Amino acid sequence: MIQAKFSLEESQIRFLEQCKVYGFKDRSDLVRTALDQLRRELEIRNLEKSAELYAEVYGEDAELRELTESAMLDWPS
């Protein structure tokens, strides 16, 4: 595994020192889990922003709505 060096606040160090209380094997396990969760949350946020943009475009584009509705008519139910 690759190691990284970074700076933390004192409160973050105290939290890391309690890693076993929260069920983590060690501090590295806690950090890896937190980073994975943050990455997933950021990906979800990006997907939500993208969906909002598509919804906005869809709401403003009558031709696109007509095209979508006609395609749905041919879609098997």
Side-chain angles (χ1 to χ4, degrees), residues 7-63:
S7 301
L8 298 172
E9 301 290 330
E10 184 65 33
S11 62
Q12 294 166 326
I13 294 294
R14 285 193 305 272
F15 179 74
L16 280 175
E17 290 170 350
Q18 298 177 14
C19 62
K20 293 186 188 227
V21 171
Y22 297 106
F24 295 95
K25 181 177 67 174
D26 55 29
R27 293 177 296 183
S28 293
D29 186 30
L30 187 152
V31 170
R32 285 190 300 270
T33 300
L35 288 172
D36 286 343
Q37 182 175 343
L38 176 60
R39 180 181 40 82
R40 285 190 302 271
E41 289 176 11
L42 291 173
E43 288 172 352
I44 288 170
R45 192 177 306 160
N46 285 337
L47 285 172
E48 288 171 344
K49 283 182 186 178
S50 177
E52 289 171 6
L53 288 173
Y54 278 112
E56 184 179 326
V57 168
Y58 183 81
E60 296 173 357
D61 189 335
E63 186 177 340

